[in-house]
Amino acid sequence: MTQPPSPLGSVDKALLTLDALARAGAGGVALADLAAEVGANKSTLHRTLAALRHRGYADQRSDGAYTLGPAVLSLGAAYLAEDNLPGLLRPALEALRDEVDELVHLGTLAGQEVVYLDKVEPQRPLRVWSAVGRRIPVATTALGRALLAADPDTDPGRDGEPDATLRAALASARERGYATETEENEPGIACVAVALLRAGRPVAAVSITAPVERMTGPARDARVAALRELLPAVLPTGLTIPST
């Protein structure tokens, strides 16, 4: 199908210009090449670029080539900001819940703790206490372990001393691409979790929480598969999970 024309051509040209600058990368692109790519004459595009440069969304190198400007970083940061993540990721959490019919949490790091940003309840009852805003120790949770394992700068120690249990949990999570926790926070309850990455660094994590009997054998494999296979397909653009 042919895409309908933009309702405002000048704005559309500016957005196409940003897309082209992003594809050009750090090497930039010459005005003539950029004009050919976005379908604009050079004088018009020059004015568009001047406006983008004024706001910091484009820059010009000493050799005349144009590149993206630093202001684009603030857009990505705002899009994936902690207070925006629950609304942004709610459809993905609901899709995951619908697939496995288990409690699904979204969390992020807050110092040495994980804070719950959102949760989606299953249809069947689950006796485990959780609440948005609750904070739990990072080292003993699947969410926290997934986040730590996905961070290349993580030092798996507490107060400068290595923690063998945490170190082993992180090594396992890095190898498998997901983290686990069994009855360390709630008797009879187990969790599996994956980190959500932006540009290769963790910004949040998603977990599935279920009774231990539904976290063994094929049942656990199905929940891990949902995290590893279903979740990436429904994540917003710009977010990924760790590869294995």
Side-chain angles (χ1 to χ4, degrees):
M1 295 179 62
T2 302
Q3 188 175 22
S6 171
L8 193 56
S10 60
V11 173
D12 193 51
K13 291 297 184 187
L15 296 174
L16 289 173
T17 299
L18 289 173
D19 286 341
L21 292 175
R23 289 191 297 273
V29 59
L31 178 62
D33 295 332
L34 190 57
E37 185 171 352
V38 303
N41 65 63
K42 289 194 292 184
S43 61
T44 299
L45 183 58
H46 190 268
R47 291 194 295 272
T48 298
L49 287 164
L52 292 173
R53 289 177 64 194
H54 177 70
R55 295 295 181 185
Y57 290 101
D59 206 348
Q60 189 173 21
R61 293 162 28 124
S62 59
D63 62 2
Y66 288 92
T67 64
L68 280 179
V72 297
L73 295 174
S74 63
L75 295 179
Y79 182 64
L80 296 176
E82 182 177 308
D83 56 357
N84 199 40
L85 282 175
L88 190 64
L89 287 163
R90 174 51 77 109
L93 302 185
E94 291 177 342
L96 190 59
R97 183 273 316 275
D98 293 344
E99 177 72 11
V100 298
D101 194 23
E102 302 288 7
L103 178 63
V104 175
H105 285 114
L106 171 68
T108 192
L109 285 178
Q112 294 300 307
E113 297 176 314
V114 169
V115 58
Y116 289 138
L117 298 179
D118 199 8
K119 70 172 185 173
V120 181
E121 299 277 358
Q123 292 296 317
R124 52 188 169 190
L126 177 63
R127 292 187 176 180
V128 56
W129 183 79
S130 67
V132 174
R134 181 189 180 192
R135 292 171 179 258
I136 47 180
V138 65
T140 59
T141 63
L143 285 169
R145 290 169 178 173
L147 286 161
L148 292 177
D151 187 344
D153 298 329
T154 292
D155 178 12
R158 295 177 183 169
D159 298 326
E161 294 297 326
D163 184 295
T165 300
L166 177 58
R167 192 164 59 248
L170 297 188
S172 177
R174 285 171 176 153
E175 179 180 355
R176 297 181 298 189
Y178 66 91
T180 64
E181 173 267 310
T182 302
E183 297 189 281
E184 293 182 52
N185 295 288
E186 297 278 350
I189 298 297
C191 300
V192 292
V194 295
L196 304 182
L197 309 179
R198 174 178 177 260
R201 303 195 71 87
V203 295
V206 174
S207 69
I208 295 173
T209 300
V212 171
E213 60 267 24
R214 295 204 295 269
M215 282 291 197
T216 59
R220 173 175 158 170
D221 293 343
R223 282 143 187 77
V224 171
L227 282 173
R228 299 286 305 158
E229 299 169 16
L230 170 70
L231 184 61
V234 294
L235 287 176
T237 300
L239 290 178
T240 60
I241 68 171
S243 59
T244 57

